[in-house]
Amino acid sequence: MDKIVIKGERPLKGKVKISGAKNSALPILFASILTEGWNTFHNIPNLRDIQTTTQLLEFFGMKLKNGWINHTGDFCVTANGFHSHEAPYELVRTMRASVLALGPLLSRLGKAKVSLPGGCAIGARPINLHLKGLEQMGAKIEIEGGYVNATAKKLHGARVNFDTVTVTGTENLMMAATLADGETILENAAQEPEVVDLAHALIKMGARIDGAGTKTIRIEGVPELRGVEHTVIPDRVEAATFMMASAITGGNILIENTHSSDLESLIAKLTETGVKIRQEKEGLRVEGPKKLKAADITTAPFPGFATDFQAQFMACMTVAEGNSTITETIFENRFMHALEMIRMGANIKIEGKTAIVSGTKKLSGAPVMASDLRASAALILAGLTADGITEIHRVYHIDRGYEKIEKKLRKLGAKLKRVKVKY
């Protein structure tokens, strides 16, 4: 097991290139289950969740070649040659996105056996909305021994109204509907850029989809889909993390390969805290002030302030001038990083779904424990601004969502290293 050791109080300067979006690449890789022929996907990040997904696709009998060609992020995959419809626990226990195999397998093969998903310990993320929607489309669902067993002679169109907004639920049903008989209408659908990117890939494959990026998505089923070439969008969460790394360290970073339109809620809040952000020819320039100003946030589905930005923003507010209120509306356990920041001298009080942060002059380096993916990033940010040495344990979470984060930070002037630890 590894830990990351950081010597803080160093402003970050330079430029960083953002990798492809994990939360876009994963459903697009699973969408290849639906197609005939080879798919070529560009800008696929080399992350642990991606590696797990490719192992799972190979377990199904799919063929992969080239992988990350010359480290460019190119990936080729074909769904010809299935010999399994099961996503076993041993492969998917660390990755919640494995549930995205359910819709494509059921639609293409008429059967799927998928282990109930694992992933970050940030609260309940039930898949009941996925299962309810698939049942409306004609699937028979049974849960036994920790697995979802789904069968359907042929899925049919249905009108599905999600009780709450669900990104993976929207993606799963959208993929399932592409080969179903008739029209499927998804109401209260997720509007995230990753959902739109998946829709664009599916449309290239021959799917008939209208309304992606709005609350209502219509999918008209087609007989078959074909392999395509598609480039995955940049990772807005990685971009957001580096933006906030510049903010918290008083740095000056040029962020390359990012879409500012996907970051408008964060840009507005960081501007409120005194960060200067401007679009340049090569990317987004982010300049942190000498002292951040406090600002309040409430997480919400896109286009609101993303829950995946919350932990990093809290890190920024621990050293801001004034008091800030952070309200988490998506996941009930996503304040576990706050307790670790308190170990570093942060002044944070948790009241239910709200964290009240009173900015301090300076954080102090300390040994801390990462509880999930975004908490890992937040603790790194805290360590970058802290006085002394910060040791972040259980950083295996970080490898699920950030490609070469230590290398990228060192290139910007951060002093940090990864160390093997025997527990």
Side-chain angles (χ1 to χ4, degrees), residues 250-310:
N252 187 333
I253 300 178
L254 179 66
I255 300 177
E256 301 177 318
N257 189 37
T258 191
H259 297 161
S260 59
S261 59
D262 295 341
L263 297 161
E264 289 180 353
S265 63
L266 177 64
I267 290 172
K269 281 298 173 182
L270 286 180
T271 301
E272 190 177 329
T273 68
V275 179
K276 295 180 180 178
I277 303 172
R278 64 180 182 273
Q279 186 70 52
E280 296 184 357
K281 185 177 180 180
E282 295 181 352
L284 204 60
R285 173 76 61 183
V286 182
E287 296 180 60
K290 290 183 179 180
K291 187 70 175 177
L292 290 165
K293 297 176 183 177
D296 301 333
I297 63 162
T298 298
T299 62
F302 190 86
F305 195 97
T307 183
D308 281 345
F309 303 167
Q310 179 259 108

Side-chain angles (χ1 to χ4, degrees), residues 231-244:
T231 300
V232 170
I233 60 172
D235 194 316
R236 63 191 172 106
V237 184
E238 185 189 16
T241 300
F242 278 99
M243 290 171 70
M244 288 183 275

Side-chain angles (χ1 to χ4, degrees), residues 34 104 107-108 154-155 175-181 221-225:
L34 296 161
S107 193
R108 177 81 186 273
K154 180 70 172 177
L155 293 177
M175 287 189 285
T178 58
L179 297 179
D181 285 336
V222 297
E224 63 180 15
L225 298 179

Side-chain angles (χ1 to χ4, degrees), residues 18 26 42 76 87 137 145 153 158-159 166 180 189 191 206 217 234 239 255 282 290 298 310 314 321 346 407-408 420:
I18 301 304
L26 289 172
H42 304 289
C76 301
M137 296 172 69
K153 288 185 178 180
R159 181 181 289 271
T166 164
Q191 303 175 67
I217 302 176
I255 300 177
E282 295 181 352
K290 290 183 179 180
T298 298
Q310 179 259 108
M314 184 183 289
E321 192 174 73
K407 183 178 179 180
K408 289 180 178 181
K420 292 284 183 183

Side-chain angles (χ1 to χ4, degrees), residues 145-184:
Y147 282 82
V148 176
N149 287 286
T151 57
K153 288 185 178 180
K154 180 70 172 177
L155 293 177
H156 58 74
R159 181 181 289 271
V160 179
N161 194 325
F162 293 110
D163 295 333
T164 59
V165 176
T166 164
V167 174
T168 52
T170 299
E171 292 168 339
N172 224 344
L173 295 191
M174 184 164 63
M175 287 189 285
T178 58
L179 297 179
D181 285 336
E183 183 183 54
T184 299

